[in-house]
Amino acid sequence: MVPIGSPAHRHPRHAIVIASGGLDSTVLAYWLAQRGAELTLLSFDYGQRHRVELEYAAEIARLLDCPHEIVDLAMLGRLLAGSALTDADVPVPDGHYTDESMRATIVPNRNAIMLDIAVSLAVVRKADVVAFGAHAGDHAVYPDCRPEFVERYAWSARVANDGLLDDDFEILAPFITQSKTDIVRLGAAFRVPFEKTWSCYRGGTTHCGKCGTCTERKEAFQQNGIPDPTNYGSA
């Protein structure tokens, strides 16, 4: 994978960005905007308990003045029971991503499902990039956030859409070797409105401050010495 910031990273013309409303995908959108890319933000309602994130994604699209599409996959919450993100009977665990308990937050094949739809949209809108914000902190828990997945998925997408995609088309995951701390540092340089992003897996009206995404979010600001604008309270 090409490291972020490398001269080998070309400047995309039009990027379909899988946008959760979270910190990673928002920094990714701002990074692409800085590189002059036309953006389309693509979000998914897959029955997640924290679907409040979709409101945050919509606000980021408004700030970036770009189209925002929301795909209704809410029935996945019923079909893919057993994940803490889609099943109300499974509690969201506290702690770090490296903890075995965080496996409860896996939604099977989630990124592949989202990427398939994003690639289809790229064909229709003639975009040359589909981008998503997987980062190194996800590797331990989520198989579809690892470099080998991105590499093999990109090959599959090109084969499945032979003759339909832009000649320079690529699946872009520029943070794949970066930590959340790196991403916050980059976002600060681009003046990303962190207060308008959502991370907490529990949903609610404020971040719980205890689940894996909240824990990682808090530590990323602390490790950078950057004030954390997030309101942590009872989820």
Side-chain angles (χ1 to χ4, degrees), residues 39 101 113:
L39 302 180
S101 63
I113 293 169

Side-chain angles (χ1 to χ4, degrees), residues 15 30 32 82 88 106 113-114 131 134 151 156 158 166 172 198 207:
Y30 273 76
L32 286 164
I106 293 175
I113 293 169
M114 293 179 179
E151 292 166 3
S156 174
R158 292 188 189 99
D166 189 278
L172 190 60
W198 183 271
H207 287 69

Side-chain angles (χ1 to χ4, degrees), residues 24-105:
D24 307 325
S25 63
T26 299
V27 174
L28 174 60
Y30 273 76
W31 179 74
L32 286 164
Q34 287 284 333
R35 300 177 75 82
E38 176 185 351
L39 302 180
T40 296
L41 302 194
L42 184 64
S43 301
F44 296 84
D45 181 348
Y46 56 94
Q48 67 270 45
R49 69 170 76 206
H50 57 296
R51 62 171 50 86
V52 65
E53 66 183 3
L54 300 175
E55 298 173 14
Y56 286 78
E59 175 64 8
I60 293 302
R62 187 190 68 78
L63 291 173
L64 289 172
D65 192 24
C66 66
H68 178 225
E69 306 289 351
I70 299 178
V71 180
D72 185 357
L73 295 177
M75 46 86 71
L76 282 180
R78 175 177 56 83
L79 291 177
L80 304 182
S83 169
L85 301 193
T86 58
D87 191 333
D89 292 330
V90 180
V92 175
D94 293 338
H96 293 82
Y97 273 130
T98 52
D99 293 347
E100 182 65 21
S101 63
M102 286 302 294
R103 291 184 63 83
T105 64

